[in-house]
């Protein structure tokens, strides 16, 4: 990773601003969220993955680093307060929606505030609860690669066509659903034909964030209708992301998972990180790569979509040139990682070809 020296001062100013603007987490709101999370995982009772999703939760307010937790830590850093446990997260710990080991406990950590909408909140909390137990399930996070192809015209084009076909499949039954599933798989196969490394890179992220979001949708929403509604929300919400390289799986994971529930019940048994959701669904529906891809694309608004992506790519090339001047050409500072903690917004990443990936918003702590 290369960091421009000019970026250091704004980071220090931002840190000072956070320290000066504490925003405590209301205990009553946190307690209601803890109760909702417990009710959801207790209702599941380990049915989805064979183990309970319940576990210690901490909410963290990023500006003040204030913690409200559902359980005590092992080292006494948190103090009891109103049925919860409160404290301050040390500066060497990052703040993110993730599973984290801190003060002798494996936590589900979530940024405060959490969504106000009941179903969005439930989906998020269960998503993060999954991350805490995915290692023992034999599904630990794997290196997802850069997925840089998802910032190129064809990568974005076929991803969005796939999303549109998945949405149509979720909205319909019978022959329409079957044909829409095959269209989605056809778009994915074409993307993998153009980008041979895409299958492995996408699979790694889909088997991490995709499975987590599927779990959030399945357990966080009590009826099939609500699950479908949330999966459709995920498919629509990420269209506006600046880049799909680290966010696409939040959209595809629930869609593939719910469709697998319909076509291949029990697909989760024996799942491993080397599996892929698209391959499982392809086998379940006996889909092959047939049909003229451009004619299929026209049914999903392909002409207008491609024109929009060509225009976006013109602007992307300007950003690539700027980033190359800033982070590759001329003097650079290289920092080696030893025990790093990193937090960033996955919707903002900017692939920079063989040079790596630019993270416009990032916080890194290490043994500097």
């Amino acid at each position: 990773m290369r960091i421009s020296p000019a970026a250091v001062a704004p980071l220090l100013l931002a840190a000072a601003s956070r320290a000066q603007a504490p925003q405590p987490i209301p205990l009553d709101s946190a307690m209601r969220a803890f109760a909702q999370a417990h009710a959801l995982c207790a209702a599941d009772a380990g049915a989805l993955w064979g183990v309970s999703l319940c576990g210690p939760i901490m909410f963290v307010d990023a500006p003040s680093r204030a913690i409200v937790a559902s359980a005590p830590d092992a080292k006494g850093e948190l103090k009891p307060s109103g049925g919860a446990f409160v404290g301050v997260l040390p500066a060497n710990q990052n703040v993110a929606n993730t599973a984290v080991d801190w003060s002798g406990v494996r936590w589900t950590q979530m940024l405060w505030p959490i969504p106000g909408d009941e179903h969005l909140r439930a989906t998020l909390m269960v998503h993060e609860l999954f991350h805490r137990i995915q290692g023992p399930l034999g599904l630990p996070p794997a290196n997802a690669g850069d997925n840089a192809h998802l910032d190129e015209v064809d990568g974005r084009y076929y991803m969005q066509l796939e999303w549109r076909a998945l949405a149509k499949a979720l909205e319909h039954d019978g022959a329409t659903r079957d044909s829409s599933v095959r269209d989605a798989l056809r778009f994915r196969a074409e993307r993998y034909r153009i980008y041979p490394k895409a299958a492995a890179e996408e699979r790694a992220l889909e088997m991490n964030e995709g499975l987590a979001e599927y779990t959030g949708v399945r357990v966080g929403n009590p009826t099939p209708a609500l699950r479908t509604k949330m999966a459709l929300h995920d498919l629509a919400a990420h269209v506006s992301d600046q880049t799909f390289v680290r966010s696409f799986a939040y959209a595809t994971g629930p869609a593939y998972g719910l469709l697998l529930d319909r076509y291949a019940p029990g697909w989760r048994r024996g799942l491993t990180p080397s599996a892929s959701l698209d391959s499982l669904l392809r086998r379940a529906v006996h889909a092959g790569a047939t049909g003229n891809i451009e004619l299929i694309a026209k049914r999903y608004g392909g002409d207008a979509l491609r024109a929009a992506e060509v225009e976006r790519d013109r602007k992307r090339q300007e950003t690539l040139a700027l980033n190359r001047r800033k982070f590759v050409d001329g003097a650079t500072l290289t920092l080696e990682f030893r025990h790093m903690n990193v937090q960033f917004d996955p919707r903002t990443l900017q692939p920079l070809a063989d040079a790596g990936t630019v993270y416009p918003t990032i916080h890194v702590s290490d043994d500097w």
Side-chain angles (χ1 to χ4, degrees):
M1 182 186 70
R2 293 181 172 88
I3 299 177
S4 168
V8 175
L11 287 173
L12 294 175
L13 288 173
S17 175
R18 287 195 296 269
Q20 296 168 6
Q23 297 177 8
I25 302 169
L27 279 179
D28 56 345
S29 298
M31 292 295 289
R32 286 194 295 270
F34 293 147
Q36 182 185 13
H38 180 77
L40 290 166
C41 65
D44 171 66
L48 192 67
W49 290 109
V51 298
S52 174
L53 291 161
C54 293
I57 298 172
M58 68 159 71
F59 295 128
V60 183
D61 173 65
S64 65
R65 307 185 71 82
I67 298 172
V68 176
S70 65
D73 64 300
K75 299 180 180 179
E77 298 289 338
L78 302 176
K79 306 304 178 186
S81 179
F85 299 85
V86 300
V88 177
L89 193 67
N92 65 349
Q93 296 292 314
N94 282 326
V95 180
N97 290 336
T98 188
V100 62
D101 293 302
W102 176 71
S103 196
V105 175
R106 180 71 168 170
W107 300 92
T108 292
Q109 182 189 102
M110 282 176 271
L111 284 165
W112 191 271
I114 54 178
D117 178 88
E118 175 186 359
H119 300 296
L120 290 175
R121 181 171 64 249
T123 301
L124 170 66
M125 290 194 296
V126 177
H127 174 123
E128 301 305 334
L129 288 170
F130 172 82
H131 282 314
R132 183 181 165 276
I133 57 98
Q134 70 183 96
L137 285 177
L139 298 168
N143 182 6
D146 290 332
N147 280 305
H149 64 282
L150 291 179
D151 221 32
E152 297 184 8
V153 171
D154 281 331
R156 288 178 56 88
Y157 174 69
Y158 285 110
M159 178 61 77
Q160 290 175 87
L161 289 175
E162 182 181 346
W163 288 350
R164 294 177 184 186
L166 288 171
K168 188 174 180 180
L170 290 171
E171 291 172 323
H172 294 85
D173 291 313
T176 300
R177 182 181 70 193
D178 294 345
S179 64
S180 300
V181 166
R182 290 185 172 88
D183 289 344
L185 293 168
R186 185 70 178 89
F187 293 137
R188 180 171 285 218
E190 181 66 10
R191 187 168 67 253
Y192 290 173
R193 183 191 68 80
I194 298 170
Y195 305 105
K197 295 181 180 179
E201 292 194 352
E202 291 183 17
R203 182 185 68 242
L205 189 62
E206 212 161 45
M207 295 301 289
N208 181 26
E209 296 299 351
L211 285 182
E213 186 66 4
Y214 158 74
T215 304
V217 168
R218 263 296 303 262
V219 176
N221 298 273
T223 67
L226 284 172
R227 291 166 189 159
T228 297
K229 182 179 180 181
M230 187 57 63
L232 290 170
H233 170 272
D234 281 341
L235 285 167
H238 293 284
V239 172
S240 61
D241 288 353
Q242 295 179 42
T243 179
F244 303 151
V245 297
R246 286 296 297 268
S247 67
F248 79 92
Y250 294 84
T252 57
Y256 275 97
L258 293 184
L259 289 168
L260 281 167
D261 288 343
R262 297 177 185 180
Y263 285 102
W267 63 273
R268 297 177 302 277
R269 290 194 295 270
L271 200 63
T272 68
S274 62
S276 66
L277 301 183
D278 61 296
S279 294
L280 291 171
L281 187 57
R282 191 181 304 280
R283 287 197 294 269
V285 300
H286 309 290
T290 60
N292 184 298
I293 192 67
E294 291 306 324
L295 289 178
I296 299 172
K298 286 181 182 295
R299 299 203 296 265
Y300 295 90
D303 290 343
L305 177 59
R306 182 170 284 282
E309 287 304 321
V310 168
E311 173 59 21
R312 175 193 178 273
D313 194 65
R314 183 186 64 79
K315 298 176 181 177
R316 182 179 75 94
Q317 295 302 326
E318 297 174 357
T319 301
L320 284 174
L322 175 64
N323 283 338
R324 187 165 290 280
R325 289 195 299 270
K326 185 181 296 184
F327 297 109
V328 178
D329 300 336
T332 60
L333 171 67
T334 300
L335 303 177
E336 294 184 0
F337 290 147
R338 291 185 175 85
H339 305 98
M340 68 166 178
N341 283 304
V342 178
Q343 67 186 60
F344 57 89
D345 185 342
R347 299 167 299 178
T348 64
L349 307 192
Q350 299 170 0
L352 190 54
D354 57 350
T357 302
V358 176
Y359 292 68
T361 59
I362 191 170
H363 179 274
V364 185
S365 62
D366 206 330
D367 303 335
W368 304 122

